Amino acid sequence: MVDFPSPDAEPRNGAPTDGRAGDDLGLELDAALATALANWRDDEPSAPDDAHDLEPSRASRPASRVHDLDDDVADELAAHARARVRDLLLAGASRDRAIAAAIEELGRSDDLAVRLRAARGFPRRRRLMHVFTATVGAGLLGTGIIMGGHAGLTGTGGPPSATYETPASTAASVAGDAVLASGADDEVELGDALELVAGSLDLGVLVDWSRLEDFGMARDHEVALPPAGTPVARTLESLASQVEHGLGMPVVWDERDGLLELLLREDLDRRTTSLVAYDLQTILDAMSQRHGLGSDPAAARVVSLVTSMASADDWDVRGGDLASANVVGSRMFVSAPARIHDQVAWMLGQLEPAADAGAAARFEAPLDGPYEVGHLVRVRIADFLTQNAWTEIDRRIQPDGTINLPTVGAITVVGLHVGEIETVVTEAVAEHVQNPLVVVLGPDERLVTNAR
Amino acid sequence: MPDPSEPPTEDERGPTRPARKGSGEKAFRDLLRGSHDLFVLSVLADGPQYGYAIARTVNARTEGEVTLSPAVLYPLLHRLEADGLVSANWEEVVGERNDGKRPGRRRKWYRLSAKGRRRLEQRTRAHRAMSGLVESFLSRTAKGGG
């Protein structure tokens, strides 16, 4: 048994002992391991013999997927391999054998990358899949934004003026009001469960088992099936949940051509990705008239809002690989899956002047003109990525034209429009908040408490 | 003792689970897979650890029954971190042999958060209640069924 020898074992084969550092292997061995790790990380998986049987999504898996172990992960795995090599040396393995075994035990780099990405992205993605709720107060520059759980959002700003409803779940849209024709008293194999459920809908079943098996989910995975008479929509949700638990990745249902398909959400995302040009002209015009923002900064704010709120993890600017947005003139080009396009379209709809008019009417003079001494400035500063509020303050502009922010100190805002105030506050807090989202609210707008 | 000059065999590396034939082995693996987070949180309850040390402790405490491979361990740790159950920070490791010419290596340490500690307590209670219930049920069933 080579695994995990006692920490007290005496070193052999030149394995060093250096106290707390513990895994210092020496220059030569360190270099050899580093080379092996680099080869492992860059190793292109050879095309399997059964490549012709693979579905297109796997056969054409982009090369970037193979290499997307970021530096932190690479460092962590290197530390693991180094410690493992040291243990193997302590157990009497030769240098080459120890390195080879440590590398082999890491598994495939592309597989590990996918698993890690799923592990880090899953919670937020799942949350967004179920609920995406935002209040739109007074357009982009006066927007209080909340995100939270399924129900009971308890912001202090009263009921939201507009709410994005996640499109009916795929389970509900696929199953309608159908009920399960027959259930099971015990656990059944996933493949059989799917046949049974699809039979209740008079559909066939389509599952790319080789794809799911890549992630450890086989046809004979046992799942619980509810009793006959259970709504099929609930049954599909339950099955999806059980499969997600086993996979550690979101799955979705799709129904086309008389077939009920169970697939990874990332596969459906890639299937439905399209490039769409959104016309921002009316929104930019409104922002210019109301807030004095130029076209470019206004467009940048729109992009920031969209990429921070609509499935934020998936945008390239936030480390994702599913969606990207670029503005040219008054057009915003977005490449994204259908579910993200839905959210983008809704958000832009809320920013249209017609949708904004009611809320804007509630604002008092300062938004239409520069802020003066004595005016109340209400600022919410949050972190873009986490949406956690850093601070929410009310400050009247002092005779010297400044407001005082905690930690930051006095900032001159007299004579500025809302957009300009947001700009100077953003710059001022940049040292304290990593991704500042600064919102100046109107005097009759109550601050919205983050519901998370 | 295996020959150190040869690559480790499957038996040497693992699996370290006991041989369980057929569906028994599969059921055992399924149960274990659902307990990995409990193992990791439990190890971290004793204090901060880095990934390899966590795997090693789990292996030792299960007397070799459970080996968390990197493909299982690190996605699990990263998920626990994303869920706020553990926090992590990097430490630069400088060995005695470092001559100052090489950059220090980094090691990521994980520690249990308050949320993670609560989750561990919940999971432990639930696991013990479940184990007791199942054991009690099975023993009564065995007696009743002869």
Side-chain angles (χ1 to χ4, degrees):
Chain A
M1 192 68 197
V2 176
D3 273 345
F4 303 117
S6 160
D8 301 326
E10 287 298 318
R12 284 184 279 174
N13 299 328
T17 54
D18 57 356
R20 189 165 182 276
D23 60 355
D24 194 353
L25 300 173
L27 279 175
E28 187 183 349
L29 198 49
D30 243 354
L33 178 59
T35 301
L37 282 166
N39 290 336
W40 170 76
R41 189 178 173 183
D42 293 336
D43 190 25
E44 281 281 356
S46 56
D49 294 338
D50 60 348
H52 60 281
D53 292 333
L54 297 176
E55 72 288 357
S57 60
R58 184 182 174 203
S60 60
R61 184 180 294 176
S64 61
R65 291 274 306 280
V66 178
H67 303 294
D68 61 1
L69 289 174
D70 62 38
D71 288 342
D72 280 351
V73 171
D75 280 359
E76 188 169 25
L77 294 174
H80 182 105
R82 193 176 296 111
R84 182 67 176 140
V85 166
R86 182 175 183 276
D87 269 359
L88 291 169
L89 291 173
L90 286 168
S94 67
R95 191 193 80 166
D96 290 346
R97 180 184 170 188
I99 291 177
I103 296 295
E104 185 182 342
E105 287 171 14
L106 292 179
R108 286 171 52 123
S109 61
D110 58 335
D111 176 58
L112 194 51
V114 170
R115 286 168 182 263
L116 285 163
R117 199 159 57 89
R120 284 176 291 185
F122 187 41
R124 173 169 290 187
R125 285 179 181 173
R126 184 167 55 182
R127 210 158 49 230
L128 285 173
M129 187 165 61
H130 291 306
V131 60
F132 184 94
T133 307
T135 63
V136 177
L140 184 59
L141 297 179
T143 303
I145 298 168
I146 55 175
M147 292 175 62
H150 293 260
L153 293 174
T154 54
T156 57
S161 59
T163 302
Y164 177 82
E165 298 289 350
T166 303
S169 72
T170 49
S173 62
V174 166
D177 298 328
V179 296
L180 203 58
S182 59
D185 295 330
D186 201 355
E187 292 198 329
V188 297
E189 292 187 356
L190 175 60
D192 293 338
L194 297 180
E195 296 284 353
L196 201 154
V197 173
S200 297
L201 299 171
D202 203 18
L203 296 171
V205 175
L206 177 61
V207 180
D208 187 339
W209 291 111
S210 65
R211 174 68 168 153
L212 295 187
E213 283 167 5
D214 282 349
F215 300 93
M217 178 61 58
R219 196 181 193 289
D220 63 356
H221 179 79
E222 291 187 340
V223 293
L225 202 60
T230 303
V232 173
R234 288 197 61 185
T235 306
L236 292 175
E237 288 171 359
S238 168
L239 288 176
S241 175
Q242 294 177 66
V243 173
E244 284 183 349
H245 183 74
L247 285 170
M249 307 172 72
V251 297
V252 291
W253 300 99
D254 194 22
E255 187 249 311
R256 284 188 302 169
D257 305 325
L259 294 172
L260 175 65
E261 183 175 10
L262 173 66
L263 71 167
L264 299 177
R265 196 181 73 183
E266 66 175 40
D267 288 347
L268 182 65
D269 280 346
R270 289 193 166 80
R271 185 187 293 173
T272 62
T273 291
S274 61
L275 177 64
V276 174
Y278 294 91
D279 187 351
L280 302 182
Q281 191 61 60
T282 54
I283 295 172
L284 300 182
D285 288 347
M287 292 170 72
S288 171
Q289 290 167 13
R290 184 169 301 137
H291 309 299
L293 273 183
S295 178
D296 287 347
R301 295 300 302 271
V302 173
V303 172
S304 286
L305 180 68
V306 165
T307 57
S308 66
M309 297 304 299
S311 200
D313 288 352
D314 292 327
W315 294 89
D316 55 357
V317 291
R318 298 183 182 279
D321 63 354
L322 286 178
S324 60
N326 281 292
V327 172
V328 179
S330 61
R331 299 256 171 187
M332 179 170 70
F333 295 89
V334 174
S335 173
R339 64 183 172 85
I340 295 180
H341 277 304
D342 289 344
Q343 295 177 17
V344 172
W346 177 85
M347 293 179 78
L348 295 181
Q350 293 304 310
L351 298 176
E352 290 284 342
D356 191 28
R362 297 199 299 270
F363 276 67
E364 293 180 354
L367 279 184
D368 296 319
Y371 273 68
E372 303 296 345
V373 171
H375 276 146
L376 187 67
V377 181
R378 319 193 72 193
V379 181
R380 180 175 192 268
I381 305 170
D383 187 289
F384 249 150
L385 297 182
T386 65
Q387 289 301 309
N388 289 329
W390 185 65
T391 189
E392 293 175 331
I393 56 165
D394 289 353
R395 294 285 187 274
R396 289 204 179 277
I397 300 178
Q398 299 301 301
D400 64 358
T402 66
I403 58 173
N404 234 309
L405 291 180
T407 308
V408 174
I411 300 175
T412 300
V413 297
V414 69
L416 301 182
H417 293 263
V418 169
E420 294 166 326
I421 293 176
E422 290 182 337
T423 300
V424 297
V425 172
T426 300
E427 291 170 355
V429 302
E431 289 182 14
H432 308 283
V433 182
Q434 196 165 5
N435 306 284
L437 170 64
V438 176
V439 174
V440 172
L441 298 177
D444 63 345
E445 291 286 298
R446 284 186 294 175
L447 297 172
V448 178
T449 300
N450 192 303
R452 285 184 59 185
Chain B
M1 184 70 197
D3 177 359
S5 64
E6 294 298 322
T9 66
E10 183 68 17
D11 284 342
E12 292 167 357
R13 283 197 310 274
T16 54
R17 296 177 298 277
R20 292 175 176 80
K21 301 295 184 186
S23 59
E25 166 68 13
K26 182 176 183 301
F28 180 70
R29 280 192 285 111
D30 285 346
L31 283 173
L32 276 184
R33 193 164 49 217
S35 301
H36 287 165
D37 58 342
L38 182 59
F39 293 151
V40 170
L41 293 174
S42 178
V43 169
L44 292 176
D46 292 341
Q49 282 288 12
Y50 54 94
Y52 185 76
I54 294 169
R56 191 159 144 156
T57 304
V58 169
N59 185 265
R61 288 187 187 175
T62 58
E63 298 180 337
E65 293 268 331
V66 177
T67 296
L68 296 177
S69 70
V72 170
L73 175 65
Y74 291 102
L76 172 59
L77 284 169
H78 287 215
R79 175 174 299 177
L80 294 175
E81 185 182 3
D83 286 347
L85 300 176
V86 304
S87 60
N89 63 288
W90 288 92
E91 175 202 57
E92 187 156 336
V93 180
V94 181
E96 291 175 356
R97 291 172 182 239
N98 196 320
D99 53 6
K101 295 176 182 175
R102 288 179 293 166
R105 298 187 304 275
R106 299 195 306 155
R107 180 183 284 163
K108 190 173 183 181
W109 287 78
Y110 296 89
R111 71 182 67 239
L112 200 61
S113 67
K115 182 180 175 184
R117 198 168 292 281
R118 288 195 297 275
R119 176 68 60 84
L120 174 61
E121 290 167 359
Q122 292 166 355
R123 287 292 315 271
T124 302
R125 277 199 303 272
H127 176 78
R128 287 182 173 148
M130 186 69 178
S131 297
L133 182 67
V134 171
E135 188 58 40
S136 170
F137 180 84
L138 292 178
S139 62
R140 291 181 186 183
T141 302
K143 287 174 187 171

